[in-house]
Amino acid sequence: MKITCPNCGLEQEKKDIFCSRCGVRLSRTGDGVPTMALDAGRSTGGLEGVVQSPVRPLAGSLLNLHILRTGEILMIGGVGEYIVGRVSKGQSILPDVDLEPYQAFKDGVSRLHVRIKVEPRAMWITDLGSANGTRVNDQKLTPHQDFPLSNKDVVRLGRLKFQALVGQE
């Protein structure tokens, strides 16, 4: 079953809470909750804050996440697998990287949203069947399929955006 975003017209899965293109909350048939278009000044569709110049990730880490809204950089680590999501009360399995301090719930980040696999010569990101999807450089990922992750890629989990900063361990 599909639903059409009233703001941008993109057709998406009925289970989605937010539009994957413009970020507007989607209404559900019969629930009486209207959707509203975003102001041009509050749009989350742009890439404001993205690092364009040569990047130097934090020392001792192969992957860092640059939270675009705040400018903060989260040091992830070296070779291994990392689950990115948000912590909520009563959750039995916790993500390795908690994005809750960055308005993750409000932005539609799932508790266990993506897995990032860091290998010596490659990185992969996998959507773990999240409610609001994952995009890398505006390309929507297919759930449970690895997708290559490169330096300066912009990743969007729901409406929360970060930039992958890849360096030398």
Side-chain angles (χ1 to χ4, degrees):
M1 190 87 172
K2 299 282 185 176
I3 188 170
T4 302
C5 175
N7 185 52
C8 71
L10 181 69
E11 193 172 278
Q12 5 197 26
E13 298 299 318
K14 187 169 176 103
K15 68 176 179 62
D16 291 346
I17 298 169
F18 298 103
C19 176
S20 61
R21 178 184 292 156
C22 70
V24 165
R25 184 174 174 87
L26 299 171
S27 66
R28 303 288 183 253
T29 305
D31 72 359
V33 178
T35 58
M36 298 181 343
L38 294 173
D39 313 333
R42 291 185 19 166
S43 172
T44 58
L47 298 179
E48 54 282 326
V50 172
V51 175
Q52 299 294 338
S53 59
V55 176
R56 299 177 106 195
L58 299 174
S61 180
L62 196 54
L63 174 65
N64 298 283
L65 305 182
H66 173 218
I67 307 296
L68 296 180
R69 179 181 296 132
T70 66
E72 291 179 64
I73 297 177
L74 304 176
M75 191 165 88
I76 302 302
V79 173
E81 290 188 11
Y82 305 92
I83 302 297
V84 180
R86 64 179 172 82
V87 173
S88 79
K89 187 176 180 181
Q91 187 175 347
S92 59
I93 301 173
L94 302 176
D96 300 304
V97 180
D98 180 20
L99 297 176
E100 187 53 35
Y102 307 98
Q103 301 178 345
F105 176 76
K106 181 180 173 188
D107 285 343
V109 176
S110 293
R111 291 178 181 107
L112 304 175
H113 201 106
V114 294
R115 178 186 69 224
I116 299 177
K117 190 182 326 177
V118 179
E119 298 175 347
R121 298 201 182 275
M123 289 193 194
W124 306 93
I125 186 167
T126 307
D127 181 279
L128 297 174
S130 64
N132 293 302
T134 302
R135 290 182 172 265
V136 175
N137 300 325
D138 287 327
Q139 181 175 345
K140 188 168 185 172
L141 303 189
T142 302
H144 307 290
Q145 290 187 8
D146 289 347
F147 187 86
L149 187 63
S150 301
N151 190 35
K152 299 184 185 178
D153 280 350
V154 174
V155 177
R156 193 168 82 205
L157 311 180
R159 292 184 296 166
L160 189 144
K161 292 190 280 188
F162 65 82
Q163 187 175 33
L165 303 180
V166 180
Q168 299 299 317
E169 190 170 32

